[in-house]
Amino acid sequence: MNNAHTPHMTVRDVAPYMVLIKRSIILWVIICLLYRAYAHLLPVQLHAAPLTKVLYYPEFHLYKFLSLDAVLVQNYWGALIYTALLFIIPILLFWKPQHLLLSVLFIINNLLYHTVQGVHMTHAVHFLAGSTLLSFIFLARQALSFNLLWEGLRYVVCTIYVTAFIWKFIHGAIFQWEFGEAVFKCNLATYLYLNPSGMMRSIYAYFLSHPYLLNAGTLIAFLMEGVFVVGYFTKRWDTYLIIALLLLHHLLYIFVDTLFVEWYILILPFISLKIWKKISPKVSIGTSSFEL
Amino acid sequence: MRPTYFKILKQQHPFMYRMCCCIFVIYLFLNIIRIEIPPFFLSMMYSVPIENNDTQVVYDFIYNQERQWNAPSYHQHHQRCMYYYTILFYDQCISQSPPQAADGVKLKERFSQHLQLGPYLDKVYASSEDIAAYPAWLADYMSSVIHEKIDSYVVVKKEVIIFPDNVQLIGSDTLIHFKRYRDE
């Protein structure tokens, strides 16, 4: 046995749960695709959206330069086939999670859909960034590489939040006391205008009357991003990091009207070995029984 | 003392270690030049200070004469996205003189004549035809979202002041007035 698996080392031996972890990722991706179908955001549901925005993003430029929009969104049959592939590839990969070609296609699928979504939504949204990053775990098919990559992805997730915290210092949002109130008014203006009554409206009215709560809450949210720095040094706080991640995105939804539901998948690298061990015998998706 | 992740990586999997070092350098470089190339995502959202303004703009979508579109629930968040982002960008595009892709204006002004990049920029940025096609597309798209055929709609750009207990309208301007003809 390789010594990366021994208990005194910092790398967890998650390889016995490789299939379960991979299928958990695919399952969440499929659930998110179904939610996007409900929200009319799948390529075939975009009605050949004519308006596009590429700004300065290289992958958006490449997408337009290669005229992929004409094939994947603006042509009905192209959009239909592409939408079908968005589902077919993860479903096949769920069936055979160790298949290399399907794994590569799954990664390309995630990267491409991230681009399609940003270009046609005319906003560089990062909804699919979480699943795109975690999809790279499918490249690891041996026990050692899986353990090491899964551990690395845990550090990547910590880096996402820690750099978000650092950028707030560099660009200065953390030094603007009224930042929370300013973002709240900007992002919730339409909601406040269209919904003059109701429970949430009463809650929002209270916060607008007491803007210091919004501003203090924003600082706490920033600190919740910064707290991910502990993830570099210990795994003892991982349960709290899971709570922080979920809480942060729920607060973002309530007070900034931005729902990163797809990012909930980022809790997976923080799940302890003990929990995987506990879940594994209870669910059939963790076994290789699906495979031929 | 516990060995670090990078030390274990170097010992156990030299190839992955070299890959990680490359990824780290690329990520650092992209952060410095502030350019995002997936999967190197930069976490810069909500990092720039913004003006704390009581006056805000909302885009009111009123369809089939008098029905106001409103999708306030938690589960409707992604339904709202497409309309909110595209209508804002459409407004920015038609505010240009002449109407053109608002995201490419500066780049076009700077490079189109000097570096012969005109054809490339025309290809990647939305054309005036793309912008002109937006109102008819919005009718089709919103018909799907609302599950109701939309024969006509208006998008009214409203300037409002936000107070804790109410929102006061201080100005409005019709951004789109769309009517579908019978054979459309």
Side-chain angles (χ1 to χ4, degrees):
Chain A
M1 192 183 194
N2 205 304
N3 66 359
H5 300 167
T6 54
H8 71 276
M9 303 295 263
T10 54
V11 175
R12 298 163 294 178
D13 183 20
V14 281
Y17 316 106
M18 192 191 304
V19 172
L20 174 63
I21 290 171
K22 286 184 174 180
R23 282 182 175 153
S24 302
I25 294 169
I26 300 166
L27 207 56
W28 189 247
V29 168
I30 293 171
I31 289 168
C32 289
L33 280 171
L34 290 172
Y35 175 55
R36 299 180 82 79
Y38 163 74
H40 293 268
L41 290 178
L42 295 176
V44 73
Q45 295 173 305
L46 295 181
H47 288 271
L51 202 57
T52 56
K53 185 178 180 181
V54 297
L55 269 171
Y56 48 81
Y57 292 94
E59 81 279 15
F60 289 8
H61 275 246
L62 188 67
Y63 172 76
K64 282 283 286 184
F65 181 70
L66 297 175
S67 299
L68 291 176
D69 56 330
V71 181
L72 301 178
V73 173
Q74 282 154 0
N75 176 291
Y76 175 75
W77 288 104
L80 188 68
I81 292 166
Y82 177 47
T83 305
L85 285 173
L86 281 176
F87 284 93
I88 290 168
I89 291 169
I91 289 168
L92 288 177
L93 192 60
F94 190 89
W95 180 38
K96 286 193 155 196
Q98 298 290 77
H99 197 286
L100 183 62
L101 179 65
L102 286 172
S103 300
V104 173
L105 289 174
F106 182 61
I107 295 167
I108 294 170
N109 227 9
N110 280 313
L111 284 166
L112 187 59
Y113 191 34
H114 164 81
T115 306
V116 170
Q117 173 202 250
V119 170
H120 294 281
M121 205 179 261
T122 68
H123 191 80
V125 286
H126 285 78
F127 294 142
L128 300 170
S131 49
T132 302
L133 283 171
L134 287 201
S135 65
F136 282 88
I137 194 63
F138 286 85
L139 292 179
R141 296 183 304 150
Q142 305 298 325
L144 175 66
S145 55
F146 184 83
N147 283 342
L148 292 170
L149 190 54
W150 191 242
E151 201 68 16
L153 285 170
R154 184 184 163 280
Y155 291 118
V156 167
V157 178
C158 290
T159 307
I160 290 171
Y161 290 97
V162 171
T163 51
F165 181 65
I166 294 169
W167 276 116
K168 284 169 181 83
F169 275 93
I170 295 170
H171 286 160
I174 204 160
F175 304 114
Q176 184 192 12
W177 169 245
E178 292 175 326
F179 186 77
E181 186 189 355
V183 173
F184 179 86
K185 283 178 191 164
C186 182
N187 284 24
L188 283 152
T190 305
Y191 180 91
L192 296 169
Y193 174 73
L194 292 173
N195 302 281
S197 59
M199 190 186 77
M200 280 313 291
R201 183 64 182 87
S202 309
I203 293 168
Y204 289 150
Y206 180 81
F207 278 100
L208 281 167
S209 306
H210 304 83
Y212 61 90
L213 291 175
L214 287 172
N215 299 326
T218 302
L219 280 180
I220 292 168
F222 289 169
L223 288 173
M224 278 162 73
E225 290 177 335
V227 86
F228 276 81
V229 75
V230 301
Y232 292 130
F233 307 105
T234 179
K235 292 190 186 75
R236 283 183 197 153
W237 282 43
D238 279 10
T239 309
Y240 300 109
L241 293 183
I242 290 173
I243 294 167
L245 194 150
L246 295 174
L247 193 62
L248 186 67
H249 288 296
H250 272 92
L251 289 173
L252 266 177
Y253 175 65
I254 294 166
F255 292 104
V256 189
D257 194 27
T258 307
L259 180 64
F260 278 81
V261 66
E262 292 90 346
W263 279 45
Y264 296 167
I265 198 172
L266 294 181
I267 65 168
L268 289 183
F270 296 101
I271 291 177
S272 68
L273 207 56
K274 219 165 84 181
I275 304 279
W276 286 121
K277 206 172 174 179
K278 217 170 171 180
I279 299 170
S280 190
K282 291 180 185 167
V283 288
S284 57
I285 62 164
T287 67
S288 55
S289 59
F290 283 66
E291 292 180 72
L292 290 175
Chain B
M1 194 180 162
R2 282 181 174 189
T4 62
Y5 173 68
F6 272 94
K7 203 170 175 183
I8 296 168
L9 210 54
K10 197 176 178 181
Q11 286 169 356
Q12 305 293 323
H13 209 306
F15 173 73
M16 203 187 276
Y17 172 73
R18 284 195 292 273
M19 286 290 288
C20 274
C21 290
C22 290
I23 287 167
F24 182 76
V25 171
I26 295 168
Y27 182 66
L28 198 66
F29 175 71
L30 291 175
N31 267 279
I32 291 166
I33 62 169
R34 298 174 196 205
I35 288 184
E36 180 177 285
I37 304 174
F40 301 97
F41 297 104
L42 307 188
S43 313
M44 290 197 280
M45 54 277 186
Y46 300 110
S47 63
V48 180
I50 63 165
E51 200 181 331
N52 185 14
N53 210 337
D54 286 337
T55 306
Q56 298 289 341
V57 169
V58 299
Y59 295 92
D60 204 359
F61 186 86
I62 299 152
Y63 63 100
N64 294 346
Q65 312 297 338
E66 57 192 14
R67 304 190 67 181
Q68 188 178 45
W69 183 62
N70 185 15
S73 303
Y74 188 98
H75 57 86
Q76 289 173 311
H77 174 271
H78 278 31
Q79 279 186 8
R80 300 194 287 270
C81 285
M82 198 70 186
Y83 170 69
Y84 283 0
Y85 290 132
T86 58
I87 196 69
L88 181 68
F89 183 57
Y90 175 75
D91 186 17
Q92 290 166 356
C93 291
I94 61 162
S95 303
Q96 307 294 324
S97 181
Q100 57 183 304
D103 54 331
V105 175
K106 283 182 186 168
L107 215 62
K108 279 184 176 176
E109 276 174 9
R110 201 168 162 188
F111 293 114
S112 59
Q113 287 174 351
H114 303 292
L115 293 173
Q116 308 295 314
L117 282 173
Y120 170 77
L121 295 173
D122 287 341
K123 190 174 168 66
V124 296
Y125 288 102
S127 65
S128 52
E129 289 82 19
D130 295 336
I131 297 164
Y134 178 78
W137 169 81
L138 189 63
D140 291 339
Y141 182 73
M142 293 304 280
S143 292
S144 299
V145 172
I146 298 167
H147 299 292
E148 191 177 327
K149 192 172 186 319
I150 294 175
D151 292 319
S152 64
Y153 76 85
V154 285
V155 174
V156 186
K157 184 180 178 181
K158 293 178 174 173
E159 209 172 338
V160 297
I161 301 180
I162 295 171
F163 296 103
D165 293 319
N166 63 73
V167 176
Q168 190 187 326
L169 182 68
I170 56 167
S172 66
D173 186 20
T174 302
L175 189 69
I176 303 175
H177 193 152
F178 179 83
K179 193 169 170 56
R180 199 189 295 273
Y181 293 100
R182 197 165 283 179
D183 53 344
E184 259 191 75

